[in-house]
Amino acid sequence: MADKGNNTLKVTLVRSIHGRLKNHQACVRGLGLRRMHHTVTVADTPENRGMINRVAYLLQVEEA
């Protein structure tokens, strides 16, 4: 398994969580996002990838 040497992701909330499913809201909060256009850096782990995949339609993701 090759290591990319890049193990963080920059995640930005670009759509509102109002009116979304409760578990989608929980995933956004679990990633540490608090408001629109808030950006956080998270570790590239399977757990974080799973939350990102579930709410990908609300997020913009970049490798950091």
Side-chain angles (χ1 to χ4, degrees):
M1 184 185 276
D3 182 30
K4 297 180 198 175
N6 191 0
N7 55 1
T8 60
L9 299 169
K10 241 172 78 170
V11 183
T12 304
L13 185 63
V14 294
R15 295 187 68 189
S16 176
I17 62 170
H18 293 288
R20 307 294 178 189
L21 295 172
K22 292 289 184 188
N23 61 346
H24 289 198
Q25 292 180 21
C27 285
V28 170
R29 295 285 182 230
L31 289 166
L33 296 165
R34 297 178 178 272
R35 60 192 167 277
M36 290 282 297
H37 307 294
H38 185 210
T39 301
V40 295
T41 304
V42 296
D44 188 3
T45 64
E47 295 83 4
N48 286 339
R49 284 282 184 169
M51 288 191 284
I52 289 168
N53 288 339
R54 177 162 289 179
V55 294
Y57 66 100
L58 300 174
L59 307 175
Q60 177 181 3
V61 182
E62 306 169 19
E63 291 188 10

